[in-house]
Amino acid sequence: MINNETDAFVIIDVQNDFCPGGALAVEDGHAVVAPINALSKKFDHRILTQDWHPAGHSSFASSHEAGVPFALTQMPYGPQTLWPDHCVQGSDGAEFHPDLEVTGAGIIIRKGFRSNVDSYSAFFENDQTTPTGLTGYLRERGFTRVFVAGLATDFCVAFSAIDASRQGFTTFVIEDASRAIDMAGSLAAAHEKMVDADVTIIQSTDL
Ligand code: VGL
Ligand code: ZN
């Protein structure tokens, strides 16, 4: 099913802070490493994303007076979930999982590095207007299909996949190579939005 002329594998945020023991640990987050490494052998073109926040980032609950992690707040660009401090630039938590195969990746997209705007998606920041440049990179390289996996299914994976589809790429999420935060029904909601955006949910075994 993979056509390396047209297909790119986008690996989202497989970083220590999203794995057990990390600051924003996703249950079983480390379990994505083995299936992603296996898939990486099949795709010639791999893109890594890295959540990369400056200290005191506006998405951190600790940056808000009386801010509570996982609560929703209003930012100038719309609603924003507040998170524990995570993926601070240069910290161990922001490093890729030590077992993730990273050497063959063509590009690493860092995101969330502007203090006042979070960025779940690999394509647009949470203001939904500031591009990261990934669309241009993929188009210029001639890719038409995007396969997305990583952490977390219901936030950065889903937002990236929905934006990829809206940007005109045929988009797949590899479910068993992703894990979710799943708070307050967020996984079910993300599933529905992905389906509405024409994202196809597949399993590693489909590839
Ligand atoms: C993520 C929350 C905050 C993710 C990143 O990678 O899904 N979630 N920052
Ligand atoms: Zn983040």
Side-chain angles (χ1 to χ4, degrees):
M1 187 195 179
I2 296 168
N3 175 351
N4 276 315
E5 297 292 306
T6 56
D7 296 353
F9 184 26
V10 180
I11 302 163
I12 304 289
D13 297 0
V14 183
Q15 293 166 261
N16 291 326
D17 268 344
F18 297 122
C19 293
L24 180 40
V26 177
E27 193 179 338
D28 261 350
H30 62 302
V32 306
V33 173
I36 286 175
N37 284 349
L39 288 164
S40 287
K41 294 198 173 81
K42 301 185 179 180
F43 286 96
D44 286 354
H45 305 287
R46 303 187 291 283
I47 291 129
L48 297 171
T49 72
Q50 193 171 23
D51 211 36
W52 193 250
H53 301 305
H57 190 258
S58 58
S59 74
F60 297 169
S62 64
S63 303
H64 299 257
E65 209 177 313
V68 179
F70 307 106
L72 205 60
T73 192
Q74 284 300 321
M75 297 288 203
Y77 54 82
Q80 168 71 48
T81 302
L82 294 178
W83 303 105
D85 292 25
H86 66 280
C87 296
V88 174
Q89 296 173 358
S91 67
D92 280 349
E95 292 301 312
F96 292 113
H97 186 287
D99 298 330
L100 184 72
E101 177 49 57
V102 298
T103 49
I107 185 170
I108 298 172
I109 295 278
R110 285 176 167 164
K111 58 187 183 62
F113 52 75
R114 291 198 304 156
S115 276
N116 295 329
V117 190
D118 203 5
S119 189
Y120 295 150
S121 164
F123 292 87
F124 289 98
E125 298 189 14
N126 284 10
D127 60 10
Q128 296 192 331
T129 55
T130 307
T132 63
L134 184 54
T135 301
Y137 174 85
L138 292 169
R139 284 203 189 130
E140 203 168 359
R141 297 289 309 274
F143 300 118
T144 57
R145 301 204 305 175
V146 171
F147 293 75
V148 188
L151 303 171
T153 315
D154 41 349
F155 287 92
C156 292
V157 170
F159 275 69
S160 298
I162 290 165
D163 280 349
S165 184
R166 286 187 181 148
Q167 293 295 91
F169 300 102
T170 303
T171 307
F172 303 85
V173 163
I174 309 163
E175 190 171 39
D176 61 304
S178 305
R179 289 292 184 282
I181 295 172
D182 200 13
M183 48 180 266
S186 56
L187 181 57
H191 257 275
E192 201 174 304
K193 284 192 191 142
M194 286 194 279
V195 170
D196 285 350
D198 282 334
V199 173
T200 304
I201 311 287
I202 59 170
Q203 309 300 322
S204 296
T205 48
D206 295 329
L207 299 169

